[in-house]
């Protein structure tokens, strides 16, 4: 496809350069994009200040609704069809609140045919009232603020990437879909289905979690799961008639011990029992006992196999009259690197090198989980995580910040990646 030379880029290229779509013809547009990114730096700082100024803990639905309105209005002002949407179906996890926060969805239509999705989240882990201890402030090359590293800077990065495309008069994409999640920090029970459904029809998905203290793009994250074991026994007097009871604690201990060796570290599969409860009084045979386990995996298939194994083992009981049930929930699936995501990430590394900057590609999971994994479940195109700024201190009470020096390089990377995908200059297979 021959790229369209917009007025802004034409001015930067000069009359002597003919923009014919060859690799050499990108020298002037690169300069124009970089210049535009530099001009956008202060505006992005201002947006991060505004986002930090609204407390939006995941379970503070009113706060999430307030920040959603701000984000919707910013996206609409950039020419997108923007709306606040509610979850059509909430995936009920063990800690899912009765009501979850909304999402912001926006669509930008262009003149091309490539479909690109940009995702981030606007909720935080913090409780109301904590903003006073961590307001937005700038100290040297760092901008501090509640939730700024996770992930309000990511929301701002999307807004200002779209602002750059508008200022450059670039519309070579077919459609850019933006989805800003309001319940990511509680495992996206409301947004997960929407993310997966929208991502399935995209040529590329970019997720704007932090790009690391050392610049990186991430292609793999751990899946996060949880196992819940419940044993129903029968109470009885522990001294006068213990034989009349069914000791749920004994059965629970048996179940935990027989399920203790299911980890496969060489495959990245981990299962660790972490919480157990049983009994009400010292002199009463416990009639109920429960336990919880944390699970991690690098492949979706490993979680599926683990769930089946837990169910099978739970049928082997110490006390035949006890009732044992086990539930396994995937809080986040793993994000798995693919040939397509590796190819597109390598293109991103080359773009960063145009600025004389190094960047790593992380294609093996090292922990944590993000919405990118939900996007990848049915995606036909590559999914790239870590498109956001460099920063530190996510989930901390007083030290969360982003590195201001990463604003321009990351805006440049984000804008160029969208332009190159739109014009067939970036590999997608």
């Amino acid at each position: 496809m021959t790229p369209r030379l917009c007025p802004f880029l034409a001015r930067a290229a000069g009359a002597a350069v003919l923009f014919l779509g060859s690799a050499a013809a990108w020298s002037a547009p690169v300069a124009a994009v970089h210049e535009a990114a530099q001009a956008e730096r202060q505006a992005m700082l201002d947006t991060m200040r505004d986002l930090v100024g609204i407390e939006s803990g995941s379970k503070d639905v009113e706060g999430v609704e307030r920040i959603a309105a701000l984000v919707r209005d910013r996206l609409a002002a950039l020419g997108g069809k923007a709306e606040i949407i509610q979850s059509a179906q909430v995936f009920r996890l063990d800690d899912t609140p009765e009501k979850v926060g909304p999402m912001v969805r926006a669509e930008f239509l262009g003149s091309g045919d490539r479909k690109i999705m940009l995702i981030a989240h606007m909720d935080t882990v913090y409780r109301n009232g904590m903003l006073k201890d961590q307001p937005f402030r700038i100290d040297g090359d760092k901008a501090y603020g509640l939730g700024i590293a996770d992930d309000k800077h990511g929301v701002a990065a999307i807004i200002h990437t779209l602002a750059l495309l508008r200022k450059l008069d670039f519309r070579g994409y077919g459609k850019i879909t933006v989805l800003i999640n309001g319940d990511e920090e509680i495992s996206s029970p409301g947004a997960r289905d929407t993310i997966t459904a929208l991502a399935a029809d995209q040529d590329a998905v970019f997720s704007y979690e932090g790009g690391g203290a050392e610049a990186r793009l991430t292609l793999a994250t751990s899946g996060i799961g949880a196992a819940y074991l419940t044993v129903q026994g029968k109470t009885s007097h522990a001294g006068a008639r213990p034989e009349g009871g069914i000791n749920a604690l004994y059965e629970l201990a048996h179940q935990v011990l027989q399920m203790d060796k299911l980890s496969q570290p060489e495959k990245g599969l981990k299962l660790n029992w972490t919480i157990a409860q049983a009994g009400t009084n010292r002199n009463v045979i416990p009639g109920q006992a429960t336990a919880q386990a944390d699970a991690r995996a690098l492949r979706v298939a490993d979680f599926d196999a683990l769930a089946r194994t837990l169910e099978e083992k739970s049928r082997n009981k110490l006390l035949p009259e006890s009732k044992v049930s086990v539930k396994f929930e995937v809080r986040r699936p793993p994000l798995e690197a693919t040939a397509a995501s590796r190819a597109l990430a390598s293109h991103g590394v080359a773009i960063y090198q145009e600025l004389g900057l190094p960047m790593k590609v992380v294609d093996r999971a090292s922990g944590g989980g993000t919405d990118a994994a939900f996007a990848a479940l049915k995606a036909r195109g590559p999914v790239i995580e870590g498109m956001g700024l460099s920063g530190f201190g996510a989930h901390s009470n007083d030290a969360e910040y982003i590195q201001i020096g990463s604003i321009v390089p990351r805006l440049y990377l984000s804008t160029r990646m969208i332009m190159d995908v739109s014009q067939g200059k970036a590999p997608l297979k």
Side-chain angles (χ1 to χ4, degrees):
M1 180 186 301
T2 301
R4 172 174 173 262
L5 183 57
C6 64
F8 184 97
L9 300 185
R11 288 195 298 272
V17 178
L18 296 177
F19 190 56
L20 300 176
S22 67
W26 271 109
S27 57
V30 164
V33 175
H34 192 220
E35 179 183 336
Q38 290 173 315
E40 201 70 16
R41 176 180 176 275
Q42 184 58 51
M44 183 163 164
L45 279 169
D46 292 343
T47 295
M48 287 188 284
R49 176 202 62 207
D50 296 343
L51 294 172
V52 166
I54 301 175
E55 292 190 278
S56 54
S58 302
K59 297 183 180 181
D60 174 14
V61 175
E62 291 183 1
V64 176
E65 289 173 343
R66 285 195 298 273
I67 198 170
L70 184 152
V71 173
R72 175 202 58 199
D73 293 347
R74 296 290 177 93
L75 293 170
L78 292 170
K81 178 184 176 183
E83 59 183 340
I84 295 175
I85 62 173
Q86 302 294 331
S87 304
Q89 182 176 358
V90 177
F91 186 86
R92 289 288 163 188
L93 300 164
D94 186 65
D95 60 353
T96 301
E98 181 178 349
K99 185 178 181 181
V100 299
M103 297 165 276
V104 178
R105 180 177 64 195
E107 294 181 350
F108 295 79
L109 300 180
S111 58
D113 57 9
R114 291 292 173 90
K115 297 179 180 179
I116 301 168
M117 185 173 177
L118 315 178
I119 62 175
H121 69 91
M122 56 193 165
D123 63 313
T124 73
V125 298
Y126 301 105
R127 301 185 305 277
N128 274 353
M130 297 182 72
L131 179 61
K132 69 180 187 303
D133 299 319
Q134 201 173 170
F136 180 85
R137 66 184 176 88
I138 293 176
D139 185 358
D141 189 42
K142 298 180 177 66
Y144 291 82
L146 200 71
I148 194 169
D150 189 15
D151 179 40
K152 293 185 176 182
H153 82 271
V155 178
I158 289 175
I159 290 171
H160 290 279
T161 294
L162 293 164
L164 278 180
L165 293 171
R166 183 182 174 107
K167 290 177 180 179
L168 293 166
D169 193 25
F170 181 85
R171 297 183 67 252
Y173 48 84
K175 180 168 69 175
I176 294 177
T177 299
V178 176
L179 190 74
I180 308 298
N181 183 8
D183 66 359
E184 191 271 350
E185 294 291 2
I186 51 174
S187 302
S188 307
R192 58 175 61 194
D193 286 351
T194 301
I195 295 169
T196 300
L198 290 176
D201 190 36
Q202 306 295 324
D203 292 297
V205 178
F206 297 116
S207 180
Y208 288 76
E209 292 279 1
E214 292 183 294
R216 67 172 185 253
L217 293 175
T218 301
L219 310 182
T221 60
S222 295
I224 303 173
Y228 301 90
L229 182 62
T230 301
V231 177
Q232 189 67 45
K234 182 180 177 181
T235 59
S236 184
H237 196 293
R241 193 169 177 269
E243 68 278 3
I246 301 171
N247 197 315
L249 176 56
Y250 285 3
E251 183 63 42
L252 181 75
H254 165 73
Q255 292 290 337
V256 168
L257 287 173
Q258 72 171 353
M259 296 178 182
D260 184 45
K261 303 300 182 183
L262 300 183
S263 294
Q264 300 178 49
E266 71 281 0
K267 296 173 59 177
L269 178 64
K270 302 174 185 177
L271 179 74
N272 291 290
W273 294 95
T274 54
I275 299 174
Q277 295 177 328
T280 56
N281 300 83
R282 175 189 53 77
N283 59 352
V284 177
I285 297 296
Q288 187 178 56
T290 61
Q292 297 180 30
D294 178 86
R296 304 290 164 128
L298 304 184
R299 301 189 309 157
V300 174
D302 290 339
F303 268 162
D304 294 339
L306 178 61
R308 290 192 298 270
T309 301
L310 289 170
E311 183 64 37
E312 291 168 1
K313 283 188 171 293
S314 70
R315 301 187 191 117
N316 176 32
K317 295 189 289 186
L318 174 70
L319 305 175
E321 294 180 337
S322 65
K323 296 179 181 179
V324 179
S325 63
V326 64
K327 179 181 73 171
F328 186 81
E329 62 184 23
V330 178
R331 301 188 67 87
R332 290 192 186 281
L335 172 64
E336 300 178 46
T338 65
S341 65
R342 287 188 175 95
L344 185 54
S346 294
H347 187 78
V349 171
I351 289 174
Y352 230 55
Q353 288 174 343
E354 294 172 356
L355 302 177
L357 298 174
M359 184 162 63
K360 297 180 179 179
V361 174
V362 178
D363 62 359
R364 289 183 60 84
S366 58
T370 74
D371 281 342
F374 291 121
L377 280 178
K378 297 182 180 179
R380 62 180 174 85
V383 176
I384 306 293
E385 179 57 278
M387 291 290 291
L389 306 181
S390 296
F392 185 77
H395 298 194
S396 67
N397 289 337
D398 59 2
E400 190 166 347
Y401 67 82
I402 59 91
Q403 295 175 0
I404 296 174
S406 68
I407 292 177
V408 172
R410 284 286 162 161
L411 283 179
Y412 177 82
L413 171 69
S414 178
T415 305
R416 282 289 313 281
M417 288 284 264
I418 292 172
M419 294 172 75
D420 286 9
V421 168
S422 298
Q423 298 180 122
K425 294 186 174 184
L428 298 177
K429 295 182 181 179

